[in-house]
Amino acid sequence: MSELSIPLFIKKNQNTLIQYAGLLLVLIAFTVMTDGALLSDFNIRTILKQLVVLFTISVGMVFVFSHGGMDISAGAVIALSSMVAIYTINAGAPLAVGVLAAIAVSVACYMVNVIISNLFGLMAVISSLAIMFVARGLVTYQVSTSSAKIALTDTGVLREIGRSMPIIITIIVLVGVVGYVIFHFTKIGKHSKAIGDNPLAASQSGVRVKYTKLISYAIAGVLVGCASILSLSRSAVVSENTGMGMEMDVIVALVLGGMALNGGSRSKMSSAFVGSITYVVLNNGLVMVGVAPEVVSLIRGIIFLLVVFLLLRRPRGEVMPR
Amino acid sequence: MDKPVFLETKNIIKKFNEVTAVNDVSINIYRGEIRGLIGENGSGKSTISAIISGLLPKTAGELMLQGASYNPKSPLDARDNKISMIVQEAGTIGQLSIAENIFLGDEVRFYKNGVIDRKRMQQEAEKALALIDYGDMDVSLPVYKLNFEQRKLIEIARALYYEPELFIVDETTTALSHDGRQLIHQLMRKLRDQNKAVLFISHDLPELMEICDALTVMRDGNLITTIDRAEFDEHYIKQSMVGRVIEGNYYRSDFDGSHGEQVMMRVNGVHTSLLQNINLELHQGEILGIGGLSGSGMHEIGKVMFGELKPDQGEVIVYGERPPSRKQAEAAKHENDQQQLYPQLVKNVQTAIANQIGYVSKNRDQETLIMEASIKENLVLSALDKLAKFGLILPAQEKSFAAKQMQNLNVKASGMNQPVGELSGGNKQKVSFGKWIGNNSKILILDSPTRGVDVGVKTTMYQLLYALKQQGYAILIISEELPELIGMSDRILIMKDGKITNQFIRDEHLSESMLIDYMI
């Protein structure tokens, strides 16, 4: 290879490079700074427990982001779904029914979201803002009016799931593989990417734009519903702060993973995986090296800005006159 | 020459990616002269005027304004240098008032204590309109309430208000009524008599010959010749416009307008807001051309036939291989002697694609192709259903599909993963063809298929279209380029004001002027 081809290679694979370089950098830096404590058996367990929730949502959000959508209701939907699951299970229903209830609530939220934006041509992020307020409002109202804490009376199996490493790892692998296959090997994923780049060209190629958006949101809904159960398995309670800020964590994670913010053909499922690991390790590492919690957010913000800057698209070329 | 030079272009070159739109063009534009600029579509005449008026940056060369170097960064910059242009397409903003449109980008002149003095702006706008004898118009009206012609007049008033030394008119007149044309002609003559320079771009030769003092002919980005009024000769000018002499193999060489018997598509009494009672049939192995002016509704016919635009009245029928019901499928099995086609209503894009219709939009880069996505992704997008096995589309399948299409159409690229946006116009067009041919489309609706494409590539396109016709494809070409329609079609429909005005069968003696009579 000549010298010329190296910068060309970097330019062509810019996104992939940023994606993995970030993860590698975070891993090496914090391993060194914590004298290896980052990779201790105990800490890896902590990381995985945090990862499984964030990763599950991120996979769902890849479907939403890739077609140009944006969602900020995930955190509030998690709180609402968890709450419904608690009530269902406390009422004596088996765990499976509780899980289904959580998924049903989450899917319903996302369906309302996409139907509003499809029908009225509203920006998806705005309708998700409405969903966020409604879901968060319902939880806050319920928490403030009930005398007791809203908690699982019998944590039972759920608690075991939250503790068992083999189960957590299985869930991560399962969600990852299924998400990857659907996104990269089926029409839904390919159509989503086409819509993200150019909805007009997509529809002229036979893509049913609204239908594809609907399915993408349904997938996101199912995964967010699952994430609410995983989150519940760790805490067993719901407060008005449950899931708070989760929606933003997911967006930052995806960007760190090299996801194009406006979707399109450069969207990759691997962004969800790489990004959520980077994000969790970054948070975990910053706390471990003793960075004050007040500063963590600031550092995250700076890194986020840097990555967004690196991922910015070049403006389009000029158009030839007729 | 004794007239003073106002503007000089020196060896101007303009490239769009790999397509050279203007190649080494040097023109002198004189004061006190109406200079015509003529050439076919894609000859570079609009590009050169866009460079002069600051709409596009040049790739190389130099512009001299009264002897000094001149580099307009924007149309406003050009206006400050006393150069104003009326553009081909609409150049006004619908939501703004007439007055705001006239002074767009120059609101500063009405500043009074930091706010815009609306009253004075409106007074000045009325003055501007008075320049074209339109002083009685309410300048606070939003522009969207005006019709196309009135909007053009607003643009003209705007250009004149700034007392241009060089007034550029880019193909405005084709869309105007007789009175509108007369007005522009008068204005141009008046400016000339005031010793201003006028550049008039058109492909309407008789009009140019009537108005201009000299004519510059462009072809394929090159300046061919400049002719003085005394030496105007219609035949000679036409020849230099076409120049390359339409030889046998540029278009198809036969004059056999025959085609298959089988009707592939039928449009019955379609009405939309722009179309009135459209009826047509497209046959197997037929190239059907539709010609007209841009606003004639011909582009809408393509969209209606592809199911993208729903007709208010009437229907579009496609004859597809897929039996619409199980009963008919059973019946077909019994007959089993011949490939039978079933009439089906084109309800939406999905039914169109399922019945093997392919559509390439006039705005190919915005509507047909995804610039950011790779060649492979573009090629497979409409064929995913065909490639899927148990709902899964495997990478190997996509690759072999894309490789086959690229080879068939001889797409030149660094590889199938190259983004389509990086390709030249011709290769982009090949990808958009390949997208449908690969998907087994037997009916191709092509809107302006050779727009923005080099001459060399045009030739290959025409050969390809002819080969497809011979293979039995039904092809509909919608084009503003009459020579192309005459050269390629078995049958030509001419449109005007949303109606089909006449039909021509392929004939050696067909000429542009015969068709134009039914367009304008």
Side-chain angles (χ1 to χ4, degrees):
Chain A
M1 285 212 173
S2 65
E3 315 95 276
L4 254 180
S5 63
I6 294 168
L8 196 71
F9 175 81
I10 293 177
K11 205 174 169 188
K12 275 201 161 165
N13 299 286
Q14 193 187 13
N15 279 26
T16 320
L17 286 175
I18 294 170
Q19 185 183 9
Y20 290 99
L23 176 59
L24 213 63
L25 194 74
V26 170
L27 274 177
I28 293 171
F30 286 115
T31 308
V32 172
M33 278 194 267
T34 59
D35 293 326
L38 183 82
L39 301 178
S40 71
D41 199 34
F42 174 78
N43 200 46
I44 286 187
R45 281 166 184 270
T46 315
I47 288 178
L48 282 175
K49 280 184 204 164
Q50 291 171 358
L51 180 66
V52 70
V53 179
L54 187 69
F55 175 62
T56 307
I57 309 172
S58 301
V59 169
M61 286 307 131
V62 168
F63 285 92
V64 171
F65 269 56
S66 62
H67 73 239
M70 169 77 72
D71 172 72
I72 54 170
S73 67
V77 172
I78 282 192
L80 185 64
S81 300
S82 301
M83 190 175 82
V84 171
I86 290 176
Y87 283 133
T88 317
I89 295 169
N90 283 357
L95 178 62
V97 175
V99 173
L100 287 179
I103 292 178
V105 168
S106 167
V107 170
C109 287
Y110 278 92
M111 284 297 100
V112 172
N113 188 347
V114 69
I115 289 168
I116 290 174
S117 84
N118 267 352
L119 276 187
F120 304 112
L122 197 65
M123 276 163 70
V125 66
I126 301 300
S127 49
S128 82
L129 186 68
I131 300 290
M132 179 182 99
F133 281 126
V134 171
R136 180 66 68 195
L138 284 173
V139 173
T140 310
Y141 176 77
Q142 196 60 31
V143 168
S144 65
T145 51
S146 51
S147 47
K149 250 178 150 185
I150 302 176
L152 283 174
T153 43
D154 175 21
T155 50
V157 192
L158 207 51
R159 197 178 177 81
E160 288 312 309
I161 292 177
R163 281 179 171 177
S164 155
M165 279 304 121
I167 294 183
I168 287 182
I169 292 171
T170 311
I171 292 174
I172 292 178
V173 171
L174 202 69
V175 167
V177 169
V178 172
Y180 190 88
V181 168
I182 297 180
F183 190 70
H184 286 290
F185 296 149
T186 74
K187 262 167 56 173
I188 288 300
K190 287 175 186 298
H191 284 179
S192 292
K193 287 198 278 183
I195 295 169
D197 272 331
N198 188 338
L200 206 55
S203 92
Q204 284 198 3
S205 301
V207 174
R208 281 183 287 177
V209 174
K210 289 182 176 175
Y211 170 80
T212 305
K213 285 186 180 175
L214 196 82
I215 299 293
S216 298
Y217 269 84
I219 293 172
V222 169
L223 286 164
V224 170
C226 292
S228 73
I229 296 294
L230 293 168
S231 141
L232 195 60
S233 75
R234 286 178 61 202
S235 61
V237 287
V238 161
S239 73
E240 65 265 38
N241 290 326
T242 300
M244 195 71 103
M246 202 60 149
E247 63 282 348
M248 295 302 160
D249 296 345
V250 172
I251 295 174
V252 177
L254 283 176
V255 169
L256 287 179
M259 182 82 187
L261 270 177
N262 36 10
S265 56
R266 298 200 303 186
S267 312
K268 283 179 286 192
M269 188 46 84
S270 63
S271 296
F273 190 61
V274 176
S276 48
I277 297 182
T278 312
Y279 187 76
V280 171
V281 170
L282 181 69
N283 266 346
N284 183 283
L286 285 174
V287 174
M288 281 187 85
V289 295
V291 174
E294 306 84 63
V295 191
V296 169
S297 191
L298 182 69
I299 295 178
R300 245 191 270 159
I302 292 169
I303 294 175
F304 180 70
L305 209 60
L306 195 73
V307 173
V308 170
F309 177 73
L310 287 172
L311 291 176
L312 269 186
R313 288 177 179 216
R314 276 175 302 159
R316 282 196 200 176
E318 53 202 359
V319 181
M320 189 163 163
R322 197 159 59 102
Chain B
M1 255 189 239
D2 48 358
K3 290 174 196 159
V5 176
F6 178 71
L7 183 115
E8 190 180 356
T9 76
K10 280 184 176 170
N11 311 95
I12 296 285
I13 296 175
K14 177 69 191 172
K15 288 185 179 184
F16 294 94
N17 294 323
E18 286 148 55
V19 182
T20 304
V22 169
N23 185 21
D24 203 14
V25 169
S26 304
I27 313 178
N28 289 340
I29 296 167
Y30 299 95
R31 286 180 173 280
E33 179 181 278
I34 300 177
R35 170 67 64 90
L37 193 52
I38 193 166
E40 292 189 302
N41 279 341
S43 60
K45 56 190 192 306
S46 285
T47 307
I48 191 93
S49 57
I51 291 170
I52 294 174
S53 61
L55 277 169
L56 288 172
K58 58 188 186 294
T59 308
E62 213 179 340
L63 288 172
M64 306 293 281
L65 190 70
Q66 296 186 304
S69 180
Y70 159 68
N71 271 307
K73 287 174 200 69
S74 67
L76 294 180
D77 199 4
R79 187 166 80 184
D80 293 340
N81 283 297
K82 298 280 174 203
I83 296 178
S84 290
M85 174 155 107
I86 313 289
V87 292
Q88 230 168 333
E89 280 107 20
T92 47
I93 299 174
Q95 299 299 325
L96 298 183
S97 74
I98 294 175
E100 283 164 331
N101 264 294
I102 290 179
F103 296 109
L104 196 65
D106 195 28
E107 292 82 358
V108 183
R109 68 164 58 216
F110 302 111
Y111 267 6
K112 202 167 130 192
N113 309 324
V115 287
I116 294 168
D117 183 351
R118 301 256 155 208
K119 209 169 209 174
R120 205 155 68 79
M121 188 192 232
Q122 296 190 348
Q123 284 165 359
E124 289 302 304
E126 275 160 15
K127 272 189 211 167
L129 288 178
L131 292 174
I132 54 166
D133 296 328
Y134 248 65
D136 51 348
M137 210 181 240
D138 177 5
V139 292
S140 61
L141 271 183
V143 162
Y144 72 83
K145 290 201 172 158
L146 307 180
N147 65 31
F148 185 81
E149 180 156 336
Q150 288 171 318
R151 286 185 213 180
K152 275 288 157 217
L153 294 174
I154 300 296
E155 284 179 60
I156 293 164
R158 171 169 71 192
L160 291 179
Y161 179 84
Y162 288 92
E163 296 169 346
E165 295 295 319
L166 172 58
F167 184 54
I168 306 175
V169 180
D170 187 359
E171 297 213 32
T172 306
T173 51
T174 37
L176 294 183
S177 67
H178 182 75
D179 290 351
R181 282 180 176 222
Q182 289 301 322
L183 179 70
I184 292 202
H185 295 169
Q186 272 173 26
L187 287 169
M188 285 193 286
R189 290 193 174 113
K190 201 166 118 193
L191 286 169
R192 175 196 53 200
D193 297 340
Q194 292 167 0
N195 206 28
K196 310 276 164 70
V198 177
L199 185 61
F200 185 22
I201 297 142
S202 176
H203 50 211
D204 186 344
L205 185 53
E207 187 183 14
L208 286 173
M209 286 175 61
E210 185 196 328
I211 305 298
C212 298
D213 302 312
L215 251 179
T216 296
V217 181
M218 286 189 71
R219 184 208 317 152
D220 303 331
N222 297 301
L223 191 148
I224 302 303
T225 178
T226 297
I227 309 157
D228 275 334
R229 186 174 185 89
E231 290 149 36
F232 278 181
D233 170 43
E234 190 169 342
H235 183 69
Y236 172 68
I237 296 171
K238 269 187 178 163
Q239 244 188 2
S240 39
M241 270 170 72
V242 185
R244 53 189 171 257
V245 181
I246 305 174
E247 277 167 19
N249 59 0
Y250 186 66
Y251 300 118
R252 57 194 267 208
S253 53
D254 67 296
F255 288 97
D256 172 18
S258 70
H259 49 73
E261 288 292 306
Q262 174 70 48
V263 175
M264 299 298 284
M265 281 194 89
R266 182 171 274 143
V267 176
N268 290 333
V270 161
H271 289 255
T272 71
S273 55
L274 288 159
L275 297 175
Q276 288 174 44
N277 195 24
I278 298 295
N279 293 289
L280 65 87
E281 280 179 356
L282 178 62
H283 302 86
Q284 196 166 33
E286 176 183 41
I287 298 180
L288 175 63
I290 298 187
L293 296 176
S294 231
S296 65
M298 60 174 180
H299 302 299
E300 282 72 26
I301 289 191
K303 288 192 194 268
V304 167
M305 288 174 74
F306 189 54
E308 209 196 340
L309 199 70
K310 279 210 170 62
D312 299 334
Q313 226 187 84
E315 54 183 13
V316 177
I317 306 283
V318 58
Y319 290 78
E321 288 169 11
R322 242 180 26 167
S325 71
R326 200 168 290 162
K327 219 186 225 173
Q328 277 166 291
E330 293 289 322
K333 253 184 212 163
H334 291 305
E335 288 177 17
N336 204 23
D337 47 4
Q338 216 185 347
Q339 177 93 46
Q340 198 183 338
L341 297 177
Y342 306 91
Q344 282 193 68
L345 202 60
V346 176
K347 281 179 285 192
N348 49 30
V349 175
Q350 280 76 33
T351 46
I353 293 175
N355 288 295
Q356 301 175 311
I357 304 177
Y359 172 69
V360 176
S361 161
K362 174 186 166 203
N363 302 315
R364 179 195 62 218
D365 292 3
Q366 285 83 45
E367 295 178 16
T368 304
L369 293 175
I370 298 174
M371 293 290 112
E372 298 85 351
S374 68
I375 299 174
K376 181 179 75 184
E377 285 167 312
N378 271 287
L379 283 171
V380 299
L381 186 59
S382 51
L384 290 177
D385 278 328
K386 229 177 53 133
L387 295 174
K389 288 221 168 91
F390 307 110
L392 293 185
I393 302 124
L394 299 176
Q397 212 91 36
E398 290 183 302
K399 269 185 204 152
S400 67
F401 178 87
K404 199 175 137 205
Q405 294 315 317
M406 282 178 73
Q407 200 194 351
N408 278 352
L409 292 165
N410 194 17
V411 176
K412 287 195 196 78
S414 65
M416 64 174 75
N417 291 320
Q418 189 176 10
V420 163
E422 292 176 6
L423 300 180
S424 67
N427 281 306
K428 278 183 194 159
Q429 194 65 304
K430 284 181 184 174
V431 172
S432 59
F433 278 25
K435 193 171 137 167
W436 298 115
I437 295 169
N439 196 22
N440 270 349
S441 298
K442 292 289 179 215
I443 302 164
L444 297 176
I445 300 168
L446 309 173
D447 196 343
S448 314
T450 56
R451 184 183 177 215
V453 155
D454 273 344
V455 188
V457 184
K458 270 190 184 183
T459 313
T460 33
M461 291 282 150
Y462 293 139
Q463 284 165 354
L464 175 69
L465 287 176
Y466 190 51
L468 292 172
K469 165 193 156 69
Q470 285 172 320
Q471 288 166 36
Y473 281 76
I475 301 169
L476 181 76
I477 299 178
I478 298 166
S479 178
E480 286 161 39
E481 294 184 38
L482 293 179
E484 172 175 292
L485 292 176
I486 295 169
M488 291 307 296
S489 314
D490 294 309
R491 200 152 58 92
I492 301 172
L493 302 175
I494 294 297
M495 289 192 63
K496 181 190 169 185
D497 301 334
K499 285 177 252 175
I500 295 174
T501 47
N502 207 351
Q503 165 175 312
F504 296 89
I505 306 292
R506 183 167 190 79
D507 189 290
E508 209 172 338
H509 305 291
L510 269 188
S511 73
E512 284 188 59
S513 54
M514 291 163 75
L515 305 188
I516 284 177
D517 286 343
Y518 294 93
M519 286 166 53
I520 302 171

